[in-house]
Amino acid sequence: MPFVLAAVLIAPRSWRNGIIAVASLVFYASAAGADTWLLLTTMVVNFLAGPWLEPDQWDRNRPFRRQLLFGVIAFDLTVLVIWKYAGFATEQLAALARMFGGDFPVTHLLLPIGISFYTFHHISYVVDVYRGERLAARNPVSFVTYIAMFPQLIAGPIVRYREIADQLPQQRSHRLDDIAAGFPRFALGMCKKAIIADTLAPFVTACFNTPDDEMTFAIAWMGAIAYTLQLYFDFSGYSDMAIGLGRMLGFRLPENFARPYSSVTITEFWRRWHMSLSRWFRDYVYIPLGGNRHGAAKTYRNLCIVFVLTGFWHGANWTFLVWGMFHGALLIIERGFHLEDAPVRRGARIARRALTMLLVMIGWIYFRADDLPSALNMVGHMFLPDFNGLTDITLSALTNQRLVVMLLALAILFLPAQPVTGPLLESSRSTPATVLRVSVMTAGLAYAAILIASGTFSPFLYNQF
């Protein structure tokens, strides 16, 4: 990162995309190894298809463009399905074959890092070009910069092509201003990840690895709360780092979080959580299916489709499907009772926030658990009080430091919906923002660096998707 920033700062402006493109491919190859060919192949196919997908003045070639669009999307999705879901599918077929005394070979493919994210970027590119919302990229360096930009390549935010196409021409001039604005955002993300998420990780693992017969009321609740905090600070921390680093390189990447745990409905939660994913599914799945324009039944059908896909997009496991269907069902209930945008009285707001938070935590258990029986067992213990407390393993994992960090992190549950810390830190010149900015870049960043240097390797949670 320091080398790339220095190169972008010192080199001529026309070199920027080339520096970022080469650095991104080197970065990806260092982690993905031989799987880099898959990224390169999909980039070549989508880049070559781009100019042919553009509508002409009279759109006389629309049937051909439509067929090409479907073909390219089918290619992108086939690559994703084979490498991400072949193992899961063959495992299910093997289990079915064993029921009838047969045998079926199980396929084991190593999941290429970031494949879910760069597949969605490719689909966004070809669809936006097909719709005529942006011109196709003629410069392969600019295209590689969009697809493989290393701040967001591994875990987002998911950048729709129309959000960044106008930024790809190298016209920026205020390089130091971008670095001054982006570095505090990057530092904030590192503090979230290293100080909070990584500190809570061992306790979360201990809770979720508790055998089913040793699970207790206390472990279930403590594990659910700790994971709720870990996942938010880990993923929002990554997003802050990506947005901040992107800004330092001269790009404005989309926001991904906006205080999701302050939501009073599940509908509002999805407007605030992983917003780039929600926008992607809205623009490229929900609206093309008809959105909410054709009556309640088709609206509910479209929501079900979107959240089944959202669940399976996160991973090849029944737990992710249940998590997606759980949220889809909650959204349908809210829409059916007209709760999604109904005004909330001041006195009822606390209760609505608490209920939404409880539902989100229950969902996160399915998201984190290894399998459905473990998730069901943990959820069941959340509603079956006992007096057994923590086991020796979970108690030893809950050190004084982790307990203090968890209690301090719980403040996120009580903060108001606005302002959102990231954008405030990046752009505001108010006194509170300045104090927070200086604190994050000095004490916070120094402490995070010490924890990173003294700790073990801790990947971002969304790297696995």
Side-chain angles (χ1 to χ4, degrees):
M1 186 189 90
F3 173 80
V4 174
L5 284 175
V8 170
L9 182 65
I10 296 171
R13 184 172 57 198
S14 59
W15 292 21
R16 181 195 66 169
N17 286 358
I19 293 170
I20 295 172
V22 171
S24 297
L25 292 177
V26 171
F27 167 75
Y28 187 82
S30 69
D35 285 332
T36 305
W37 73 268
L38 197 61
L39 171 63
L40 295 174
T41 301
T42 54
M43 283 197 296
V44 169
V45 170
N46 284 267
F47 175 74
L48 293 178
W52 294 95
L53 289 167
E54 283 184 356
D56 60 20
Q57 183 178 2
W58 305 103
D59 203 10
R60 290 167 294 190
N61 60 343
R62 186 169 186 177
F64 168 75
R65 293 193 307 110
R66 179 183 291 272
Q67 292 174 0
L68 180 60
L69 175 68
F70 289 159
V72 175
I73 292 177
F75 169 78
D76 291 332
L77 292 178
T78 299
V79 171
L80 177 65
V81 168
I82 290 175
W83 264 266
K84 189 167 184 174
Y85 302 103
F88 174 74
T90 54
E91 285 175 1
Q92 308 313 308
L93 292 174
L96 185 63
R98 285 194 296 271
M99 291 175 60
F100 296 95
D103 189 24
F104 191 90
V106 176
T107 301
H108 295 286
L109 294 176
L110 184 64
L111 180 65
I113 192 169
I115 188 172
S116 297
F117 289 91
Y118 69 68
T119 297
F120 273 22
H121 284 157
H122 281 131
I123 293 175
S124 172
Y125 170 72
V126 295
V127 172
D128 286 354
V129 171
Y130 171 81
R131 290 173 175 174
E133 296 181 356
R134 291 294 185 274
L135 295 175
R138 261 65 179 187
N139 186 330
V141 174
S142 296
F143 183 74
V144 173
T145 301
Y146 163 56
I147 296 295
M149 188 189 303
F150 71 90
Q152 51 78 36
L153 173 61
I154 304 304
I158 299 171
V159 184
R160 293 168 295 174
Y161 182 62
R162 64 174 178 264
E163 292 177 304
I164 202 169
D166 296 337
Q167 302 180 48
L168 291 173
Q170 303 166 90
Q171 299 173 349
R172 61 186 284 255
S173 56
H174 303 293
R175 305 185 194 184
L176 291 176
D177 289 348
D178 285 337
I179 292 176
F183 185 73
R185 188 72 181 270
F186 178 86
L188 173 66
M190 183 176 286
C191 291
K192 285 182 176 181
K193 166 65 173 170
I195 298 176
I196 301 177
D198 286 356
T199 299
L200 297 177
F203 179 66
V204 171
T205 300
C207 289
F208 278 85
N209 286 349
T210 301
D212 290 350
D213 57 350
E214 296 181 16
M215 182 62 65
T216 67
F217 177 79
I219 294 175
W221 272 99
M222 293 285 282
I225 292 171
Y227 183 66
T228 296
L229 297 172
Q230 181 202 6
L231 182 62
Y232 169 75
F233 283 102
D234 190 286
F235 192 24
S236 71
Y238 184 101
S239 298
D240 284 329
M241 294 171 76
I243 292 169
L245 185 50
R247 179 66 184 274
M248 286 189 277
L249 295 173
F251 293 98
R252 301 291 186 99
L253 302 183
E255 294 295 332
N256 216 19
F257 289 88
R259 292 269 171 83
Y261 292 160
S262 66
S263 305
V264 296
T265 63
I266 296 297
T267 303
E268 183 184 2
F269 173 79
W270 278 103
R271 291 170 181 166
R272 294 174 174 274
W273 175 275
H274 203 348
M275 297 187 294
S276 63
L277 179 67
S278 300
R279 290 189 292 259
W280 194 98
F281 272 109
R282 180 197 65 196
D283 292 348
Y284 304 117
V285 180
Y286 182 70
I287 292 177
L289 286 173
N292 58 1
R293 300 189 302 273
H294 303 293
K298 290 187 176 179
T299 298
Y300 300 156
R301 178 205 65 185
N302 297 340
L303 285 171
C304 286
I305 292 173
V306 165
F307 276 89
V308 165
L309 294 176
T310 299
F312 262 137
W313 177 84
H314 281 85
N317 196 317
W318 293 116
T319 55
F320 292 113
L321 175 62
V322 170
W323 171 77
M325 293 174 64
F326 175 69
H327 276 272
L330 293 174
L331 288 171
I332 289 172
I333 292 171
E334 290 183 351
R335 186 174 288 271
F337 287 94
H338 306 288
L339 298 174
E340 72 275 18
D341 292 313
V344 180
R345 295 193 305 271
R346 194 169 192 177
R349 191 168 187 85
I350 295 177
R352 291 282 295 274
R353 279 187 66 171
L355 176 61
T356 301
M357 195 67 254
L358 174 62
L359 294 172
V360 169
M361 282 199 299
I362 291 173
W364 287 146
I365 291 177
Y366 288 93
F367 194 85
R368 173 62 174 79
D370 293 330
D371 49 52
L372 287 178
S374 298
L376 287 168
N377 181 61
M378 194 166 183
V379 171
H381 277 84
M382 289 179 68
F383 299 95
L384 291 174
D386 57 53
F387 301 97
N388 294 326
L390 301 179
T391 62
D392 291 340
I393 294 176
T394 53
L395 191 60
S396 64
L398 185 62
T399 62
N400 290 335
Q401 178 203 16
R402 288 172 189 148
L403 180 60
V404 169
V405 167
M406 184 160 62
L407 292 175
L408 292 175
L410 278 171
I412 191 68
L413 303 181
F414 304 99
L415 293 175
Q418 297 294 338
V420 179
T421 307
L424 176 74
L425 198 71
E426 186 176 332
S427 59
S428 175
R429 295 295 177 265
S430 65
T431 300
T434 301
V435 172
L436 179 60
R437 193 158 38 239
V438 173
S439 301
V440 165
M441 290 191 297
T442 54
L445 197 59
Y447 184 47
I450 292 172
L451 292 177
I452 292 172
S454 61
T456 58
F457 174 67
S458 178
F460 287 93
L461 295 179
Y462 258 67
N463 282 8
Q464 64 185 301
F465 306 133

